[in-house]
Amino acid sequence: MIREPAEVVIDENGRVELPMGLLAEAGLGCGSRLLAYSAGDGRIMLRRAEDAIADLLGEGDL
């Protein structure tokens, strides 16, 4: 399901605040550790660190 997008602004320090509703929908909260990487075409992807590690270890679909 595609959710309604939330517009965010990059501040002068390169920081972005993500809306709490967006974080809650993704199952994320304060202290969540994420990996960030460029997916090209102006896209930045965020992924839970533990999910990315599980995929690398072949445990993603267990």
Side-chain angles (χ1 to χ4, degrees):
M1 176 187 311
I2 298 176
R3 306 271 186 208
E4 186 69 26
E7 185 174 348
V8 297
V9 177
I10 302 169
D11 74 12
E12 62 276 357
N13 295 313
R15 294 181 181 156
V16 174
E17 287 188 22
L18 299 175
M20 289 301 291
L22 184 66
L23 295 173
E25 284 182 20
L28 301 169
C30 294
S32 294
R33 298 187 61 80
L34 304 173
L35 297 179
Y37 57 95
S38 171
D41 297 331
R43 294 178 295 144
I44 295 174
M45 305 296 290
L46 298 174
R47 183 119 195 256
R48 272 186 284 234
E50 64 265 20
D51 291 347
I53 292 169
D55 283 351
L56 286 173
L57 296 174
E59 301 169 0
D61 291 329
L62 294 180

